[in-house]
Amino acid sequence: MLSTVLMTVLYAALVIHVVLIGVALWRIWRGDNIVDRLIGADLATIITLAVLVVLALITRNSIYIDVALGLAALGFIGTIALAKYFADEQMF
């Protein structure tokens, strides 16, 4: 009984997060300025991390957690690099 309820909640969370990734991609595509687009890209990365964690719970496979950790590191470094580039108009 509990596992059925848990799986239903996990699948619902997966659907909600995929819809939210679509909203974040829309903000990246139609952002008013570069800051809105940068925030949308960061949000899409974070929601993708959440999708990977939910997939790890659904499939009971821990490889998704490892991929999520790597993506979190790359997303953080990428966000910092893009913010610096847009602020200074130079990378280094």
Side-chain angles (χ1 to χ4, degrees):
M1 177 68 181
L2 183 62
S3 66
T4 305
V5 172
L6 179 63
M7 291 305 283
T8 304
V9 169
L10 287 174
Y11 280 116
L14 185 64
V15 169
I16 290 169
H17 281 89
V18 168
V19 169
L20 289 175
I21 288 175
V23 171
L25 290 176
W26 180 78
R27 177 46 64 187
I28 293 169
W29 182 261
R30 301 290 295 180
D32 293 335
N33 54 21
I34 199 66
V35 174
D36 284 344
R37 292 178 179 184
L38 184 62
I39 290 172
D42 194 35
L43 182 65
T45 303
I46 291 170
I47 296 173
T48 304
L49 294 173
V51 166
L52 287 171
V53 170
V54 170
L55 280 175
L57 291 172
I58 289 172
T59 62
R60 295 186 177 110
N61 191 353
S62 65
I63 191 70
Y64 293 113
I65 300 293
D66 297 334
V67 171
L69 286 172
L71 183 62
L74 287 175
F76 173 73
I77 292 169
T79 300
I80 297 299
L82 282 174
K84 181 174 175 12
Y85 175 74
F86 293 135
D88 299 340
E89 294 295 327
Q90 63 182 5
M91 187 56 72
F92 298 106

